[in-house]
Amino acid sequence: MSGHTTELVVFVLLFLIVSGMGFVASRWRRPESIESLNEWGLGGRNFGSWITWFLVGGDLYTAYTFVAVPALVFGAGAMGFFAVPYTVIIYPLVFLVLIRMWSVSHVHGFVTPADFVRARFGSPTLALLVAITGLVATMPYIALQLVGIEAVLKAMGITGHLPIIIAFAILAAYTYQSGLRAPALIAFVKDTLIYIVILAAVIYIPAKLGGWGSIFDAAKAKFDASPAPGDGLTLNAANQLQYITLAFGSALALFLYPHSLTGVLASKNRNVIKRNMSALPAYSLLLGLIALLGYMAIAAGTKPIVGPNGRPDSNTIVPALFDQMFPDWFTGVAYAAVGIGALVPAAIMSIAAANLFTRNIYREYINKQATDAQEAKVSKLVSLVVKVGAVLCILVLDPQFSIDLQLIGGVIILQTLPSVALGLYTRWFHKGGLMAGWAAGLVVGMWMLYLIPNPATGKAHFGGSAFPLANFGFDTKMTIYVGFVAVIVNLVVAALGTLLFRALKVADGPDATSRDDYFVDEGDPRVKEDLDLAGSH
């Protein structure tokens, strides 16, 4: 820890300020009672444009953004920029989908995507599968936030898991008390810090390294000397298909995550969502700048910190770069931005996962007569369990390339696409076909992930999400994103299964909500009500 005292003091001070805000948040816009999922889990469904922008932005652009994307650019070059196009194309893709999801959820009182599936297809079983999928996919995503904090702590010379456990214990305490209001309030600080740090980095660091020309020349020299076929300053024939399918597949997956929808459902009306889908691409510009930190690290000769296993930890490349280039006090601010950047999404994710369990497992199968207060109590407790599970993910899984954790989650959550996203527009799919498609997509996805090695870390299985087409018998070095193949298999099986069940005249769920009830438009009085008159907060 010697030599990092200033950084540690600044980091701890900012961390404590934010934690205090998390506890105070329970009194911010305080309702008569927070003991319901609408209040604890969705902030009263009354967040205006600014709060939603920071909340959803803080939810989607996480410690993963700060740590894993530049680490991938540092190691593989252009391939790491896949995150930029996927966050550009996502908003036009989901603009109408999210508006309709908000309307349907507002009219029917849905808290989770599985609530919607339960009513739409009249199937508690299908809703259960969607809920379990959301829970499983969210766990590695929360673990990814831990990786971000861990990387910063390593850069300050702090090792071991105890500091992370303490950080998450504090997070668990204020999330338990304040619910979604805590990350909504903290997101203002988190995003402000990140913007300051990145703008400083893209101006200050290139000036010290001789300009952008020198940075790109150094990166090109490194990749030209590398024997790996998939890296380089530009894409090549071997990785172009992987890049395209990874960007498109990740875009489809992003708003299927329970935590993404939680931020959307907390909005007070449709116009808030429209404004946010228009404004959120501003974060994509920031993301492109963050990715460039990987090239800066190459030019600066930055080396990742070597872990206890004797292998360099690529996730530490950005903290190491900040430590090398910035004065100590500002390095502490940058470390705090990464650390707080982990807490906001981790809080939202644990709340979303807890809501899934409460609504679609506890209320459906354990206590059908649960009161609002009982639901809130169960959700609070489960949010604690989810955080413990995330810590265990870090202890059990190898987070060497932390981005792989999120990519595995992406493959899993993509299998809910037909039920959730397509279900908003059509009830053509039969619940049995959707279940068959879900199962087929997961089996194919897990099989493909199992076959992918990672020579850099010595892993024989689950070493990434780039599947060699040679495994399908093609004579090529090209790879493709596993999730893209898996969701296509899912859709084909769901369609064939639907045709089979229709031919056999197997009935759909008896309590499925009618088609007409879901075509909720702008002028529907159930949507307008008094929410449009609530004013902006």
Side-chain angles (χ1 to χ4, degrees), residues 13-24:
L13 185 63
L14 287 170
F15 194 91
L16 289 176
I17 290 171
V18 163
S19 298
M21 289 176 66
F23 287 107
V24 169

Side-chain angles (χ1 to χ4, degrees), residues 309-325:
N309 56 7
R311 291 204 303 257
D313 180 1
S314 62
N315 295 311
T316 60
I317 201 69
V318 169
L321 174 69
F322 289 160
D323 189 34
Q324 183 179 336
M325 304 302 294

Side-chain angles (χ1 to χ4, degrees), residues 219-309:
K220 186 176 187 303
K222 176 194 171 181
F223 295 125
D224 285 347
S226 167
D231 62 13
L233 204 58
T234 56
L235 297 172
N236 56 49
N239 60 18
Q240 285 171 354
L241 180 64
Q242 166 72 6
Y243 184 89
I244 294 167
T245 53
L246 178 56
F248 185 61
S250 299
L252 291 178
L254 190 60
F255 276 96
L256 291 171
Y257 279 102
H259 60 272
S260 302
L261 285 175
T262 295
V264 169
L265 296 184
S267 307
K268 69 176 180 177
N269 58 39
R270 292 161 66 103
N271 289 333
V272 168
I273 300 167
K274 289 178 182 178
R275 284 191 285 268
N276 271 275
M277 291 302 104
S278 303
L280 278 167
Y283 279 97
S284 299
L285 172 64
L286 186 69
L287 182 57
L289 298 176
I290 289 171
L292 287 170
L293 292 171
Y295 287 157
M296 294 183 209
I298 294 172
T302 307
K303 302 295 182 190
I305 295 167
V306 177
N309 56 7

Side-chain angles (χ1 to χ4, degrees), residues 85-169:
Y86 108 63
T87 60
V88 171
I89 63 176
I90 178 63
Y91 301 109
L93 270 178
V94 302
F95 186 93
L96 295 176
V97 176
L98 290 181
I99 291 170
R100 175 162 288 191
M101 177 59 87
W102 181 90
S103 297
V104 169
S105 300
H106 169 61
V107 169
H108 298 287
F110 300 150
V111 174
T112 70
D115 278 352
F116 160 72
V117 171
R118 167 72 172 84
R120 183 62 155 151
F121 297 99
S123 174
T125 307
L126 181 59
L128 177 65
L129 296 180
V130 170
I132 291 172
T133 305
L135 284 166
V136 172
T138 302
M139 293 305 292
Y141 219 153
I142 301 175
L144 199 67
Q145 311 316 313
L146 285 165
V147 172
I149 299 177
E150 199 170 44
V152 166
L153 292 174
K154 281 182 183 176
M156 289 189 287
I158 301 170
T159 56
H161 294 292
L162 183 60
I164 290 196
I165 293 170
I166 293 170
F168 257 57

Side-chain angles (χ1 to χ4, degrees), residues 515-528:
R515 177 190 297 267
D516 292 342
D517 215 12
Y518 280 77
F519 286 87
V520 187
D521 61 26
E522 203 84 34
D524 191 310
R526 296 172 301 174
V527 170
K528 291 186 75 66

